[in-house]
Amino acid sequence: MCIRDRKKQEADKKKKETDKKKKDEDKKKKQDAEKKKKDEDKKKKQEADKKKKDDDKKKKDTDKKKKDDDKKKKETDKKKKDEEKKKKQEADKKKDSDKKKKDDDKKKKETDKKKQDGDKKKKQDSDKKKKDEDKKKKQEADKKKLIRKRRMKRKRR
């Protein structure tokens, strides 16, 4: 084999090795690029999943807070309504009590007036009776006096 053939063979071999090396580098670059892309996609997916999870949690918390606020408002409204009902009942009770007191006072006043009228009538009757008795006694005394006077006149004659 001549030197030229051998040189050509070596050059071919070297070229072959270079081509193989280049091919291996290209393959490695491609694999690295695919791996990098895959890792980035995975990372993006994880971030998206995390964001979705956080958003879901936030929404759930917001919903829970709203539900708690609604419950609290409902309880407050119920409490307020109960207090108003209680106040109304107390006001009605006081009104009834005042009415009863007023009626009792009116009855007492009427009873006192009747008693006063009765006492006045009794006193008038008693005074009239006493006056009549006094008048009767005076008339009897006058009659006796007159009779005595007549007797005295007769005796004188």
Side-chain angles (χ1 to χ4, degrees), residues 19-157:
D19 287 350
K20 188 178 183 293
K21 203 175 186 184
K22 191 178 181 293
K23 194 180 175 185
D24 287 349
E25 280 178 14
D26 287 348
K27 190 179 176 185
K28 191 174 187 303
K29 273 184 187 174
K30 192 181 174 188
Q31 284 176 339
D32 286 349
E34 284 177 2
K35 188 178 185 296
K36 191 177 178 187
K37 190 181 183 303
K38 195 177 175 186
D39 287 348
E40 282 177 7
D41 288 349
K42 188 178 178 186
K43 192 176 178 186
K44 278 183 185 172
K45 190 183 182 301
Q46 284 177 337
E47 285 174 1
D49 288 350
K50 188 178 184 298
K51 190 179 183 306
K52 188 182 183 301
K53 192 177 176 185
D54 289 347
D55 288 348
D56 288 349
K57 188 180 185 298
K58 203 173 187 180
K59 188 184 182 300
K60 193 177 177 185
D61 289 347
T62 307
D63 289 349
K64 188 181 184 301
K65 189 179 183 302
K66 189 183 180 300
K67 193 178 176 185
D68 289 347
D69 288 349
D70 288 348
K71 189 179 177 187
K72 209 174 196 177
K73 188 185 180 299
K74 200 175 180 182
E75 286 174 0
T76 307
D77 290 348
K78 188 184 183 298
K79 201 174 185 182
K80 192 177 175 187
K81 195 176 175 185
D82 289 348
E83 283 177 13
E84 285 174 1
K85 190 179 175 184
K86 193 177 178 186
K87 276 184 186 173
K88 190 183 180 299
Q89 285 176 337
E90 286 175 4
D92 289 348
K93 200 175 180 183
K94 190 182 182 302
K95 195 175 171 185
D96 290 347
S97 174
D98 290 348
K99 190 180 183 299
K100 190 179 183 297
K101 189 180 182 297
K102 194 175 173 184
D103 290 347
D104 288 349
D105 288 349
K106 191 176 174 185
K107 270 186 191 170
K108 189 181 181 298
K109 206 173 182 181
E110 287 174 1
T111 308
D112 289 349
K113 192 177 183 309
K114 278 183 187 172
K115 189 179 180 292
Q116 213 174 31
D117 290 349
D119 289 348
K120 190 177 176 184
K121 194 174 186 304
K122 272 186 190 172
K123 191 176 184 300
Q124 285 175 341
D125 289 349
S126 170
D127 288 350
K128 188 174 185 270
K129 192 176 177 185
K130 190 173 184 287
K131 196 175 174 186
D132 288 348
E133 284 177 9
D134 288 348
K135 190 177 175 186
K136 198 176 178 184
K137 280 182 185 175
K138 190 176 180 293
Q139 283 176 344
E140 284 178 19
D142 287 349
K143 196 176 175 185
K144 281 183 184 176
K145 197 176 175 186
L146 190 70
I147 293 172
R148 218 181 289 134
K149 207 176 183 183
R150 283 185 191 155
R151 275 189 197 151
M152 291 290 268
K153 267 189 180 175
R154 266 192 232 147
K155 273 189 182 177
R156 278 194 204 144
R157 280 193 210 159

Side-chain angles (χ1 to χ4, degrees), residues 6-19:
R6 210 167 49 198
K7 272 188 180 177
K8 190 179 183 273
Q9 202 177 28
E10 280 179 21
D12 286 347
K13 189 179 176 190
K14 207 172 192 183
K15 188 180 181 292
K16 203 177 184 183
E17 283 176 10
T18 309
D19 287 350

